[in-house]
Every structure is written in C-alpha cells, then in structure tokens.
Amino acid sequence: MTAPTLLQQLSSDDRWTSSVIRDLLVHARQPGVLSLAGGLPAVELLPIERCQVAADRLFAERGGVALQYGLTSGEPELRELLVRGDAPDVDRILVTAGSQQALDLVTRLAASPTETSTVVIEDPGYIGASQVFRSHGHQLVGIGVDADGLRVDELADHLAAGLRPRLCYVNPTFQNPTGATLSAERAQRLVELAETYDFLVVADDPYVELALDDRPAATPLPESPQVIRLGSMSKTLSPGLRIGWIDADPRLVAQLALVKQAADLHTSTFNQLLVADVMSDSTWWSAHLDGLRNGYRQRRAALRSAVDRHLPNAQVTPQGGGFFLWCDLGVDVDTLLPAALDHGVAFVPGAAFAIDQPANTSIRLSYSSGDQTQYDEAVRRLAAALAATTS
C-alpha cells in the first residue's frame, strides 16, 4: 500500500475537529429555521452608534496610531481599564484576539514538551475549550457540574487517587452550557487544591457582567498565582471586535506575550483603542451594561415561558444569568436534532458538550439572539419534533 502523501496526512489530521455549534449555524441560517442554538449577542443590543462615535474620533484624532502596529501586550490605555484589584498592576494584563485566543495561548504554554499533559474540564463543558485542548494534544478529564458549579469534591478525589493535571478549566459564572455558577466555598477549595497539587486554574468568565437576577454573581476566585483569568468583550460590547484578555501573574503574562508574539505579533490596535474609548466613558458603559441585563432578562423570561408551556416535563437547571437554558427532557434525544431541523427549529444537543459523562437527555437553548417574539413558536416546533421522535 502506498504511504499517504503529506497533503493527505495534513488534510486528515484528527486533532482538528469542527464545533457542533459552528456547524449548526449553517442550518440555523436556512430560510424558515428558528434558531435556539448559537450563543450570539442580540444584534439590537450591539452599541453600533456609540462604536461609530469612537471610530470617528479615532480617525480624526489618532488615525496614524490606530492604523499602525501595536504592542504585543496591548495598548496601555486599554490594559489600565482591564486591570482589577486593590493594587492594580497592568503587567498582569495581556490583550488577546478574543478569549478564544487567550485560551489557545495558555494551552500552548502549558503543553508539556516531553509527554501528554492532562487538563481537567467541566463535564458538560464549553465546546471551544475542549477543541483547543485536544488540538494541542492534551488528555481531557471531565469533572461533573451541578447547580453550584464544578464538583470540586469529585476533583479532590481524583487528585488524591493520583491525577496530576497541568490545567483545570472552568466557566465560574453562568457556565456554558448549564448556566451554573461556582459557589464561593467551591472556588476557595479549588484554589487550595491548585496550590497543593501545583496546577493552574483557568477561569474563563465571559458572562460575569450578565447577572440577570437580583442576587449578585458569585465572588471571583481568590487571588493566587495559580489562577489565570480570561475575559472578553464579545458578550458585552461586540464579538466582531475580537478583544479578550488574560489576567495572571506577571511572570506568566511575560511568557504568554512571547507565545502571542509568535502567533500574531499583536491584537488589532484600532479595535483596542475603540474599546478603550467606549469603556473609559464610565457613565455610558454602566448604562449600557444595565441595558444588556434588562434586554437579556426579558429574552430569558420569554424563552422560559415557552419551555414551561410546550415542554412542561423538562427540568431546567436554575441559572442567574448568561445566555442559555439547560434542559433535561428526560428521554434520549440522539435523534431529536434532525427531526427538529425538519420542523424548522435548531438547538444544541447536550451530547455535544459531554467530555466523559453522557448528556443524552439534555439540550441547550439560547435566548441571547433571534426574534424573541418567535421563541414560543420555536419551542412549539421543538415539542412537536420531540413528540415525533418519541411516539
């Protein structure tokens, strides 16, 4: 048998897999299909006019700077706005092309040069994270999630039995896909375990500003050199600007800047300065965030009402914000997606988020985008598809 050519090898490399959600976007854009799949921000909540003002000002006052090469670590004025804590240190901040690049840079740095590394991830967990980890050859260990977030007790048992991960990845606030928030007690214990067993906690928090209930989101993970925080403007300002950041120990940030330098030199100067212009307008920014919360609160209520009406037996995981409802339908939904598409509605099967534990009775529904006046019809179609596949 003839050995495969290099082109054949590269074109069939199984480290690179497609996201189920990205694939679903193709179907969701078909005429007549109502989508409850993708976690896209609502178009009508994007601050187009305010971004236009910022862009016009940049071109008028700083066009030469905005269109020029920039610093690998990020533009100083944006880094100063992103740094947090009682003793802010801009050396903790690395601006990235979205939090997805931030995750990729951390994963590259953490990969062992001599052996397969292990990464702990929530199960069910964010598809984009598992894609990155697998593409860099990491072995994944899934740890369960409940209403209080990652089952840290389960992780502790694995560690006591000999598990030695390099990274533990969590969505601490309004986790994707379940909407769960890591409790303060678990957050404290997770950091203690990281310090005892010497692994890094990667806290990816894109939904932290989108608390939709009266109670505040959980306290952030305690300060520790073992904690790397990832942030994003994609859910609060614009995903198209591709602005994210890493907040970590300055020693790690310095190394991560070298990894980024090899990847893309720097994040878009223009986009960084535009974001800095918008965020520095603190009165407007605060009002904008309030507007987002009000908008998504209404959307969540509309979708939850539709689920209660048309899927009365569904168990919906309690969540205080973010973009998603996690619904356990109590029956195997392996064949539900094709039937749903035939009925003109799209969603994401729970199995797409599974790491080790099956999630074949659960689905994720998004209330963040689409026409909320059509949510009732979308869930009615979903219920009809479910009836067709279980009759």
Side-chain angles (χ1 to χ4, degrees):
M1 180 179 294
T2 304
T5 66
L6 177 58
L7 178 59
Q8 290 171 329
Q9 293 175 42
L10 295 177
S11 61
S12 61
D13 189 336
D14 62 8
R15 291 177 302 167
W16 310 104
T17 58
S18 181
S19 163
V20 171
I21 299 172
R22 287 274 149 187
D23 294 342
L24 272 171
L25 289 177
V26 176
H27 297 287
R29 289 182 175 181
Q30 296 299 313
V33 174
L34 303 179
S35 179
L36 300 173
L40 286 67
V43 172
E44 60 268 33
L45 297 179
L46 296 176
I48 297 171
E49 292 182 1
R50 181 60 183 83
C51 288
Q52 181 68 56
V53 169
D56 289 345
R57 181 157 45 227
L58 274 178
F59 280 123
E61 300 176 5
R62 305 183 65 188
V65 174
L67 297 180
Q68 186 55 278
Y69 283 112
L71 303 173
T72 299
S73 296
E75 293 306 304
E77 51 259 69
L78 180 58
R79 295 172 75 200
E80 289 173 5
L81 289 165
L82 297 175
V83 72
R84 52 184 290 281
D86 296 329
D89 180 0
V90 294
D91 289 337
R92 293 185 56 88
I93 302 296
L94 174 65
V95 181
T96 60
S99 63
Q100 190 72 6
Q101 187 194 45
L103 181 57
D104 183 73
L105 298 178
V106 171
T107 306
R108 288 172 185 263
L109 185 63
S112 170
T114 59
E115 60 186 7
T116 299
S117 306
T118 299
V119 172
V120 166
I121 184 172
E122 296 156 319
D123 192 3
Y126 171 50
I127 294 174
S130 58
Q131 274 186 296
V132 172
F133 297 139
R134 288 186 172 122
S135 72
H136 291 294
H138 291 282
Q139 177 181 347
L140 302 188
V141 174
I143 300 295
V145 176
D146 63 17
D148 289 318
L150 184 77
R151 287 283 308 276
V152 178
D153 58 332
E154 186 180 320
L155 173 59
D157 290 343
H158 280 271
L159 294 168
L163 178 67
R164 293 296 179 267
R166 293 173 77 88
L167 301 175
C168 174
Y169 174 85
V170 293
N171 286 155
T173 317
F174 315 134
Q175 191 248 8
N176 183 2
T178 69
T181 293
L182 188 67
S183 69
E185 294 77 13
R186 290 190 184 182
Q188 179 68 45
R189 179 61 176 147
L190 178 58
V191 173
E192 291 172 355
L193 291 173
E195 293 174 344
T196 299
Y197 290 97
D198 193 25
F199 60 86
L200 297 174
V201 177
V202 181
D204 191 358
D205 229 355
Y207 305 102
V208 67
E209 297 285 0
L210 297 178
L212 306 183
D213 294 337
D214 292 335
R215 64 179 185 277
T219 304
L221 273 72
E223 295 293 336
S224 169
Q226 306 296 125
V227 175
I228 299 175
R229 293 178 172 84
L230 308 185
S232 173
M233 302 304 296
S234 292
K235 307 304 187 292
T236 55
L237 185 60
S238 159
L241 290 173
R242 307 310 301 139
I243 297 294
W245 66 94
I246 296 170
D247 179 342
D249 185 290
R251 294 168 295 179
L252 273 176
V253 168
Q255 287 297 105
L256 288 164
L258 297 178
V259 180
K260 179 174 173 59
Q261 197 175 105
D264 68 353
L265 300 183
H266 70 96
T267 302
S268 165
T269 308
F270 182 89
N271 290 0
Q272 289 185 68
L273 294 177
L274 188 151
V275 171
D277 183 286
V278 170
M279 285 189 70
S280 64
D281 186 350
S282 58
T283 300
W284 181 90
W285 182 244
S286 178
H288 170 65
L289 292 177
D290 285 342
L292 290 182
R293 295 180 192 114
N294 288 334
Y296 290 124
R297 188 178 296 118
Q298 294 171 17
R299 289 170 164 275
R300 182 183 63 174
L303 182 58
R304 182 59 195 265
S305 176
V307 170
D308 290 344
R309 181 178 300 109
H310 298 294
L311 296 170
N313 295 323
Q315 299 295 312
V316 182
T317 299
Q319 53 84 264
F323 277 3
F324 310 111
L325 295 183
W326 182 250
C327 306
D328 188 336
L329 300 183
V331 295
D332 195 302
V333 296
D334 276 350
T335 61
L336 179 57
L337 181 57
L341 291 172
D342 286 342
H343 281 74
V345 63
F347 68 93
V348 185
F353 304 95
I355 307 300
D356 296 322
Q357 305 174 26
N360 293 339
T361 64
S362 296
I363 62 174
R364 192 196 75 177
L365 305 179
S366 171
Y367 52 78
S368 64
S369 60
D371 183 349
Q372 70 187 73
T373 65
Q374 295 182 325
Y375 286 171
D376 189 80
E377 173 61 17
V379 180
R380 186 199 66 76
R381 295 181 186 184
L382 180 59
L386 179 64
T389 58
T390 56
S391 60

